[in-house]
Amino acid sequence: MRRKEKRLLQFAGLLLAALLFLPNVGLWSLYRDRVFENSPEIVEGPGGIPQIQGVNVRPRKNAQMGRDGVRRKDWHDYEAIRRDAARSGNGEQGKPFPLTDTDRVDQAYRENGFNIYVSDRISLNRSVADIRHLNCKQKLYGVKLPNTSIIIPFHNEGWSSLLRTVHSVLNRSPPELIAEVILVDDFSDKEHLKGSLEEYMVRMPKVRILRTKKREGLIRTRLLGAAAAKGEVITFLDSHCEANINWLPPLLDRIATNRKSIVCPMIDVIDHDNFGYETQAGDAMRGAFDWEMYYKRIPIPSELAKEDSSEPFESPVMAGGLFAVDRKWFWELGGYDTGLEIWGGEQYEISFKVKRHNDTGH
């Protein structure tokens, strides 16, 4: 077995924000009949279809040949970056929303775990600050990268938080790398996630919606999306994320190099009160667990630290909510155990499966 195939997990040097105060579960809902598409302008929410941002124009970049014989290029979309930098309004550039006492009413948090009133007052296309390591801005990734199916499971997710996830992914991803976005509804009963969602998504040809016939739980809902995926890579996301600049090429580049890599992004934090966007405490850390099987983030040991801290690093355990995996490799591993009912154990299962397969050569 080659050494590179014995690597357990590799983390990509990129940033992707998630609402971490309730990780890996989209159990937040609250119907609102208005949504804010382009702050501060108010547009119709469920039942109304806001104008979708146009296709990004990508500047041509000359590819460079690396020492390993792989041609690489700059995947940044500088025109989209320029447009985002020019945006202003509520929550733009990832800035906290100025809260009043009215904004903090209990009902705003009751069913969502975060302030849905504030979420509904921020653009679905909002800009976020580029808070990546400075070296990330200079990195080149393979010219030929696999495409991916983005799988987003949800149950009674808030309208604006779910739509902002989809817009963010589509707006900040190279179109040729997105095979599809699959929204998997785990038997939601909120009206805004039925006909209104279908009507909204018909304007987005790469997005399709799958629905379970009964409540299945997070893991089986993900499996439904994975079974339907057509992309070369499967990328699992939560339903309350915001992708940052150039988030996708680093993930796919590691898999193009080694198809048995399970690649996890750096995860930043969106504040559950004011939706301010910032880095997670401790920045780059490895995944681990204690004797009670609680997931922990621990510093990278000095002997394993790299001179360039923006480079991917190995981790014994992955975070379960956000990761990319070669689609065929995922099924070779056996996918998820269908007996898992709730979130929290899937990261250990996949981590242990990767370790076992690589150690035994299966």
Side-chain angles (χ1 to χ4, degrees), residues 31-37 42-52 124 159 163 167 191-192 194-204:
Y31 177 81
R32 290 280 288 177
D33 61 359
R34 303 190 69 83
V35 65
F36 292 68
E37 167 65 15
I42 301 175
V43 299
E44 294 299 323
I49 302 178
Q51 181 179 358
I52 297 174
L124 299 180
W159 173 267
L163 268 291
H167 277 278
E191 286 300 319
H192 65 274
K194 298 179 181 179
S196 296
L197 185 64
E198 299 277 354
E199 183 181 2
Y200 192 101
M201 290 304 169
V202 76
R203 297 280 302 275
M204 298 181 174

Side-chain angles (χ1 to χ4, degrees), residues 33-306:
D33 61 359
R34 303 190 69 83
V35 65
F36 292 68
E37 167 65 15
N38 291 304
S39 42
E41 179 185 0
I42 301 175
V43 299
E44 294 299 323
I49 302 178
Q51 181 179 358
I52 297 174
Q53 189 171 8
V55 176
N56 294 335
V57 178
R58 186 172 302 281
R60 290 184 177 271
K61 293 288 181 180
N62 293 328
Q64 298 180 17
M65 186 69 72
R67 294 180 179 179
D68 55 1
V70 176
R71 294 177 68 243
R72 293 183 172 85
K73 72 173 185 178
D74 183 351
W75 280 91
H76 286 89
D77 186 337
Y78 292 103
E79 177 58 25
I81 293 172
R82 183 194 63 79
R83 287 198 304 268
D84 268 3
R87 291 176 66 95
S88 61
N90 293 334
E92 295 294 345
Q93 312 305 322
K95 293 181 179 179
F97 186 89
L99 289 170
T100 65
D101 290 340
T102 303
D103 295 323
R104 290 189 172 94
V105 295
D106 290 342
Q107 184 64 29
Y109 302 86
R110 189 165 298 165
E111 296 185 40
N112 297 269
F114 62 89
N115 194 323
I116 190 65
Y117 291 174
V118 168
S119 179
D120 287 348
R121 296 169 70 180
I122 296 174
S123 169
L124 299 180
N125 281 317
R126 82 152 170 179
S127 55
V128 294
D130 185 355
I131 57 176
R132 299 174 297 167
H133 190 287
L134 290 176
N135 290 351
C136 294
K137 302 178 182 181
Q138 310 300 323
K139 292 188 181 298
L140 305 178
Y141 300 103
V143 170
K144 183 175 176 55
L145 295 177
N147 62 23
T148 185
S149 295
I150 308 290
I151 298 174
I152 303 174
F154 67 93
H155 171 74
N156 284 347
E157 181 67 73
W159 173 267
S160 56
S161 52
L162 177 61
L163 268 291
R164 190 174 298 112
T165 300
V166 176
H167 277 278
S168 176
V169 166
L170 292 177
N171 289 346
R172 299 196 182 96
S173 303
E176 62 268 38
L177 298 183
I178 300 289
E180 59 192 343
V181 176
I182 303 176
L183 302 180
V184 193
D185 175 17
D186 187 17
F187 211 58
S188 297
D189 58 14
K190 300 299 181 181
E191 286 300 319
H192 65 274
L193 296 173
K194 298 179 181 179
S196 296
L197 185 64
E198 299 277 354
E199 183 181 2
Y200 192 101
M201 290 304 169
V202 76
R203 297 280 302 275
M204 298 181 174
K206 287 194 174 183
V207 180
R208 56 182 173 133
I209 302 172
L210 303 179
R211 300 186 188 274
T212 63
K213 296 180 180 180
K214 61 183 180 68
R215 189 69 196 278
E216 294 287 357
L218 175 66
I219 305 306
R220 289 189 293 274
T221 302
R222 281 185 183 167
L223 282 172
L224 177 63
K230 300 176 182 178
E232 299 168 90
V233 169
I234 295 172
T235 302
F236 292 102
L237 297 181
D238 285 341
S239 54
H240 32 263
C241 297
E242 294 182 53
N244 207 308
I245 294 168
N246 209 42
W247 74 283
L248 186 56
L251 288 174
L252 301 180
D253 185 78
R254 302 305 301 176
I255 294 173
T257 301
N258 176 11
R259 65 178 289 268
K260 293 188 176 181
S261 295
I262 307 292
V263 192
C264 302
M266 298 289 292
I267 302 176
D268 295 320
V269 179
I270 301 170
D271 187 271
H272 73 289
D273 285 316
N274 58 37
F275 276 68
Y277 176 100
E278 59 186 0
T279 58
Q280 190 172 176
D283 200 13
M285 289 194 177
R286 302 205 304 167
F289 55 90
D290 60 20
W291 290 109
E292 295 182 334
M293 295 297 288
Y294 286 112
Y295 180 79
K296 304 289 185 181
R297 298 172 68 244
I298 60 175
I300 302 171
S302 57
E303 62 271 18
L304 297 179
K306 298 182 178 180

Side-chain angles (χ1 to χ4, degrees), residues 13-27:
L14 56 89
L15 299 167
L16 186 138
L19 292 157
L20 294 180
F21 54 90
L22 185 60
N24 304 334
V25 183
L27 299 177

